[in-house]
Amino acid sequence: MSALTRSRALAGGALLIAAAALLLALGLLGGSHVINARFENAGQLVVGGEVQIAGRRVGTISDISLSQDGRANVALEIGGSAWPLHQGTWATIRAVGQAGVANRFVTLTPGSASAPELPDGAVLDVEHTTGIVDLDALLNTFDPHTRDDLRGLIRNSSGVFAGSGSRYFNSMLAKLDPALREASNLAGEVAHDKQALSGFVATAAESSRALASRRRDLEEVVVNASHAFGAIASEREPLADVLQGAPGVLGQARHTLGRLSTAVTAVRPTLQEIPPAGGPLRALVRRLTPALRRTGPVAADLRGQLPGLDDSLAGLKTLDGPAVKALDALAPAVERSQPILQALRYYGTDFTLGVTNGLAGILAANYNYAGHYGRLNFVENPQSLMAGIPAAFLDKFPLVPGILATRTGLDAPCPGSGAPPAPDGSNPWVPDPKLCDPSQSTPASVNHP
């Protein structure tokens, strides 16, 4: 192989590698996918035309055919670099310029990446495609008179837009393009959500019909609202005062509501107890009604006694001075009488038993044909009987059990000490050692010499 042949082969291989790299860069190698876009008309598209996304070529037009519903079906072969596409994708026919035969291409506006993916061979219906309007088709819609006026406008436009007004017109044109683009996007969104728009229109129609059927009521509402606004306007100054004080009231209300949660938490247990108490409360109210009816005469009599009660209470006014003085003196007297009252409480039982058993028992125990009679019996313990006269001389000396049992000078005996001590120790009772002297109680030796 000559050097020229080898150089040509190397050049051909390099060209193939460069073509492959270009195709990879364009996304036409490494797998392709087809979607079908339906247009009202093909708009002078040709097979082999470009498919772009954001101004970058991502595929070609592989076929143009007629669909069953009479629309143009354009098969778009998409390279792997732009795949997958998602639902909500739009296809639009664009033109590079007005000159040329194959100057039309298709641009795709991908749907949201969060939307479901389009399968291979998916169809974009006419609700997701936008065709192109040719200038001659637009001009053909004008009648001869309108075309003459348009020619005059174009012919005289240099004079219309010349001079000082040109910069304002140019400024308007600069702002017109973004405005038209936004209007186009808005129209696209409205067309995209045609179902929601149809529902809105239908709902608005139903609402309008409902309002029309209640026209008289609506007129009354408007008239009453007018009267209400008039009344509010007539009270403008008080309303202004209310609005001026509203911030303070709202601040206090916010503080109160802040404490309300604590109050509700504290009251909740009480509220939970109310339902169980409902039954008994209902029974109480049912029984209370007849009782209240019976209290009617009593209340009437009481009301009749009120004048006399008023007179009596009026007479008590003259006693308020002495009564206050008496009450003032009563407190110290009660305080000083506490030891006496305490002693009476301790020795009250001994005193009661002494009176009832000693005196009343003697007088009330016996009864004959002549009535009650009392009988006195002399009862003496032999041990105390033997003491006799010696005890009077020896009262300052210790007793001799069974011989000298009589004692004198007992001024602080304990309660229950008048009898010998019981085996269970229930007497004598020593409530306070300062109050009585246990040594002055009757000793047990009286019964056990």
Side-chain angles (χ1 to χ4, degrees), residues 1 5 19 42 50 71 92 97 178 251 264 283 293 322 361 387:
M1 182 181 293
T5 303
E50 291 187 357
R71 292 185 170 89
T92 305
V264 169
R293 292 195 186 99

Side-chain angles (χ1 to χ4, degrees), residues 23-24 26-35 51 58-62 75-85 118-122:
L23 292 176
L24 287 173
L26 294 175
L28 300 179
L29 293 179
S32 61
H33 306 269
V34 176
I35 61 173
V51 179
V58 295
T60 59
I61 301 173
S62 60
L76 308 177
E77 188 173 353
I78 309 299
S81 62
W83 195 262
L85 295 174
L118 291 175
D120 197 354

Side-chain angles (χ1 to χ4, degrees), residues 72-413:
N73 184 79
V74 181
L76 308 177
E77 188 173 353
I78 309 299
S81 62
W83 195 262
L85 295 174
H86 299 267
Q87 292 184 7
T89 299
W90 280 71
T92 305
I93 299 176
R94 300 288 188 186
V96 178
Q98 295 299 325
V101 178
N103 64 339
R104 305 294 173 88
F105 64 96
V106 177
T107 179
L108 296 178
T109 303
S112 175
S114 61
E117 296 180 0
L118 291 175
D120 197 354
V123 177
L124 301 180
D125 54 19
V126 293
E127 294 182 353
H128 293 83
T129 61
T130 304
I132 191 169
V133 179
D134 293 324
L135 183 59
D136 56 350
L138 179 63
L139 293 178
N140 288 335
T141 60
F142 296 156
D143 55 19
H145 180 68
T146 304
R147 287 199 295 270
D148 291 339
D149 292 339
L150 182 59
R151 291 191 191 98
L153 176 63
I154 295 174
R155 184 168 50 251
N156 299 319
S157 60
S158 60
V160 173
F161 302 111
S164 60
S166 60
R167 72 174 185 273
Y168 300 109
F169 181 72
N170 293 332
S171 176
M172 180 195 70
L173 292 179
K175 296 178 181 178
L176 183 62
D177 180 61
L180 292 178
R181 189 182 305 113
E182 294 297 329
S184 177
N185 294 335
L186 175 61
E189 290 294 333
V190 172
H192 176 67
D193 206 355
K194 184 186 300 183
Q195 185 177 358
L197 181 61
S198 300
F200 172 74
V201 172
T203 304
E206 294 178 1
S207 301
S208 299
R209 285 195 297 270
L211 290 175
S213 63
R214 309 288 298 193
R215 182 174 58 186
R216 181 173 298 177
D217 296 337
L218 185 61
E219 291 176 353
E220 292 179 358
V221 169
V222 173
V223 172
N224 293 333
S226 176
H227 293 330
F229 288 137
I232 292 174
S234 63
E235 299 293 334
R236 184 170 53 188
E237 293 183 0
L239 184 61
D241 294 338
V242 171
L243 294 177
Q244 185 176 1
V249 175
L250 293 177
Q252 186 65 30
R254 184 170 60 251
H255 183 66
T256 303
L257 292 176
R259 295 183 176 180
L260 184 61
S261 60
T262 305
V264 169
T265 303
V267 172
R268 185 177 293 112
T270 303
L271 296 178
Q272 292 175 351
E273 296 295 332
I274 290 179
L281 183 61
R282 183 168 56 253
L284 174 62
V285 172
R286 189 180 297 113
R287 296 179 181 179
L288 187 62
T289 302
L292 292 176
R293 292 195 186 99
R294 296 189 186 97
T295 58
V298 178
D301 295 340
L302 180 61
R303 188 167 54 251
Q305 300 294 330
L306 289 179
L309 182 61
D310 291 340
D311 296 339
S312 299
L313 294 176
L316 293 178
K317 292 182 179 180
T318 57
L319 301 177
D320 58 352
V324 171
K325 293 180 180 179
L327 291 176
D328 291 340
L330 180 62
V334 171
E335 184 178 0
R336 287 192 294 268
S337 63
Q338 287 298 321
I340 299 175
L341 296 176
Q342 186 178 14
L344 289 176
R345 182 166 63 86
Y346 291 155
Y347 291 95
T349 304
D350 288 350
F351 177 77
T352 303
L353 292 176
V355 172
T356 56
N357 293 339
L359 180 60
I362 293 175
L363 297 178
N366 300 310
Y367 180 84
N368 60 13
Y369 70 95
H372 292 282
Y373 69 93
R375 183 175 60 184
L376 300 179
N377 293 328
F378 179 77
V379 179
E380 181 69 21
N381 188 291
Q383 295 145 0
S384 59
L385 178 63
M386 293 179 61
I389 297 176
F393 298 97
L394 301 175
D395 59 346
K396 295 182 180 181
F397 298 94
L399 297 179
V400 178
I403 299 176
L404 301 176
T406 302
R407 295 180 298 169
T408 60
L410 303 178
D411 56 356

